[in-house]
């Protein structure tokens, strides 16, 4: 709300995932003349879409920009937590070349469960197929074209939890998926699974994840997102006193690797975001609507 005034005199604003666009903020933007909200992201869980509709504002996203950027980062997190790349580097930095603490596991032959096989989940499935993994998937809208390309079996969520050694989340955050990965979900999983989340933090109940780490249900977690990330991701908070206790606790586990919502950050993805954002704005300017309008 403090930065709404920056849009004074503008008809459109460009928002990223860390920018809130709740009812109050949309109302204030509307009051100063903003009619178009151009999202530079795929996800739009940070926008009160109903309020925008009610105000008659247009909202468009960037539905696709290099799904490989996020899928490849998910693979990077999986390999890094499993093969202890960060710890290995730290030991090397101090001249400790022992490898006793660095044992990982082969991905080949493991069962990988993918929640959401849209553009990113599909790309991730193809990467994991290349590693020789067995693939399970859950998606309310199964992608049969993917099944004609690789060996992947759609199962119920319960079955995915039961049989997967690795679970990677690629569904959107919405009312159905908030805290989808909760105490009850962890209770259905194999012991020692590796959990990867490059989708949205709030799909996982972080407190339940911490319990699952304590109990050994989760052996490794690789996370690019965190449910309260908006408080500090993308900012330099080194000199701020009040930390986020839940995040500090999560980060205290040596088997948890967190990156700061950087999965999308590749040259190709940024170019795609910029091009689609400009074309959304041009379409609005020319005809008042655009192909990526959310409604
Ligand atoms: P997409 O719309 O192509 O695919 C999402 C898939 O999830 C669809 O197939 C849909 O049917 C499925 N889905 C919906 N509800 C589900 C549920 N309850 N359980 C399982 N699957 C469900 O979206 P895309 O491009 O693959 O992106 C997925 C998510 O990744 C985005 O919503 C966004 O939150 C996140 N993302 C994260 C980025 C990062 O930098 N960390 C960057 C870009 C996207």
């Amino acid at each position: 709300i403090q930065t709404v005034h920056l849009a004074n005199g503008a008809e459109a604003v460009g928002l990223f995932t860390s920018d809130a666009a709740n009812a109050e903020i949309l109302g204030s933007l509307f009051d100063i003349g903003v009619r178009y909200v151009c999202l530079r992201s795929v996800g739009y869980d940070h926008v009160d879409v109903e309020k925008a509709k009610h105000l008659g504002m247009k909202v468009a996203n960037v539905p696709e920009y290099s799904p490989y950027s996020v899928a490849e980062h998910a693979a990077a997190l999986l390999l890094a937590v499993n093969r202890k790349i960060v710890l290995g580097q730290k030991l090397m930095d101090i001249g400790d070349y022992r490898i006793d603490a660095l044992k990982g596991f082969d991905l080949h032959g493991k069962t990988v469960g993918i929640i959401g096989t849209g553009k990113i989940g599909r790309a991730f499935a193809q990467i994991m197929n290349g590693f020789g993994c067995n693939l399970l998937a859950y998606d309310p809208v199964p992608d049969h074209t993917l099944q004609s390309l690789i060996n992947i079996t759609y199962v119920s969520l319960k079955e995915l939890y039961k049989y997967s050694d690795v679970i990677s989340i690629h569904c959107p955050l919405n009312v159905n998926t908030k805290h989808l990965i909760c105490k009850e979900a962890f209770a259905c999983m194999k012991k020692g699974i590796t959990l990867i989340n490059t989708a949205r933090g709030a799909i996982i109940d972080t407190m339940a994840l911490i319990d699952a780490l304590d109990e050994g249900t989760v052996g490794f977690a690789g996370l690019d997102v965190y449910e309260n990330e908006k408080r500090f991701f993308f900012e330099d908070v080194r000199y701020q006193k009040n930390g986020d206790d839940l995040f500090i606790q999560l980060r205290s586990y040596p088997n948890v690797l967190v990156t700061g919502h950087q999965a999308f950050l590749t040259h190709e993805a940024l170019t795609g975001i910029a091009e689609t954002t400009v074309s959304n704005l041009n379409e609005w300017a020319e005809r008042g609507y655009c192909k990526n309008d959310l409604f």
Side-chain angles (χ1 to χ4, degrees):
I1 198 78
Q2 295 92 329
T3 53
V4 161
H5 69 276
L6 295 174
N8 262 325
E11 276 180 85
V13 289
L15 305 185
F16 195 54
T17 51
S18 51
D19 300 315
N22 56 29
E24 184 195 5
I25 289 172
L26 288 175
S28 303
L29 286 168
F30 184 86
D31 289 344
I32 60 169
V34 173
R35 297 293 178 267
Y36 299 96
V37 178
C38 202
L39 306 176
R40 304 195 309 276
S41 57
V42 178
Y44 48 87
D45 49 274
H46 54 305
V47 181
D48 188 331
V49 173
E50 288 311 311
K51 178 71 180 182
K53 259 189 216 171
H54 175 74
L55 291 168
M57 292 169 108
K58 288 272 182 199
V59 184
N61 68 341
V62 177
E64 179 162 4
Y65 59 84
S66 176
Y68 309 107
S69 62
V70 182
E72 288 174 14
H73 192 78
L77 283 172
L78 172 54
L79 287 167
V81 279
N82 167 19
R83 304 310 295 267
K84 303 188 174 61
I85 300 295
V86 175
L87 176 61
Q89 189 63 42
K90 281 184 183 158
L91 292 174
M92 183 143 293
D93 284 346
I94 59 168
D96 182 349
Y97 300 110
R98 290 173 301 169
I99 57 170
D100 312 61
L102 303 179
K103 190 176 76 194
F105 59 83
D106 282 8
L107 281 170
H108 184 94
K110 294 292 182 302
T111 299
V112 176
I114 301 171
I115 301 180
T117 53
K119 291 174 283 294
I120 296 169
R122 181 188 164 99
F124 183 74
Q126 288 174 299
I127 295 170
M128 289 298 104
N129 185 56
F131 273 83
C133 299
N134 307 314
L135 300 178
L136 298 179
Y138 170 74
D139 193 310
V141 188
D143 179 351
H144 299 297
T145 62
L146 179 60
Q147 286 185 294
S148 64
L149 291 176
I150 57 173
N151 198 358
I152 183 164
T153 310
Y154 281 93
V155 292
S156 69
L157 257 186
K158 265 212 154 144
E159 284 174 298
L160 184 144
Y161 294 152
K162 185 170 173 193
Y163 296 112
S164 299
D165 301 299
V166 173
I167 295 178
S168 192
I169 304 170
H170 299 288
C171 61
L173 172 63
N174 56 37
V175 283
N176 300 319
T177 59
K178 174 141 198 242
H179 286 186
L180 178 74
I181 308 296
C182 56
K183 188 175 189 288
E184 291 72 27
F186 285 119
C188 303
M189 294 178 192
K190 273 190 185 178
K191 211 156 179 72
I193 65 136
T194 299
L195 180 65
I196 304 295
N197 187 10
T198 53
R200 284 291 180 268
I203 297 171
I204 297 178
D205 177 345
T206 310
M207 302 258 257
L209 170 58
I210 286 171
D211 289 341
L213 284 158
D214 282 336
E215 287 156 11
T217 308
V218 173
F220 301 99
L223 313 168
D224 185 51
V225 285
Y226 161 64
E227 63 180 314
N228 303 320
E229 68 179 49
K230 283 199 173 76
R231 296 182 191 157
F232 49 91
F233 272 20
F234 306 135
E235 304 289 336
D236 178 357
V237 295
R238 276 177 296 174
Y239 306 109
Q240 282 181 20
K241 278 211 177 94
N242 295 323
D244 178 309
D245 289 342
L246 189 63
F247 191 61
I248 291 168
Q249 198 180 348
L250 180 66
R251 294 240 22 236
S252 71
Y253 289 83
N255 45 346
V256 173
L257 177 60
V258 187
T259 52
H261 206 137
Q262 67 177 72
F264 70 97
L265 200 63
T266 65
H267 172 75
E268 291 76 6
L270 291 179
T271 306
I273 292 171
E275 284 172 357
T276 306
T277 301
V278 170
S279 109
N280 286 349
L281 288 166
N282 281 340
E283 283 183 41
W284 278 336
E286 279 160 26
R287 43 178 214 235
Y289 62 91
C290 85
K291 66 174 178 306
N292 297 323
D293 280 341
L294 292 187
F295 48 83

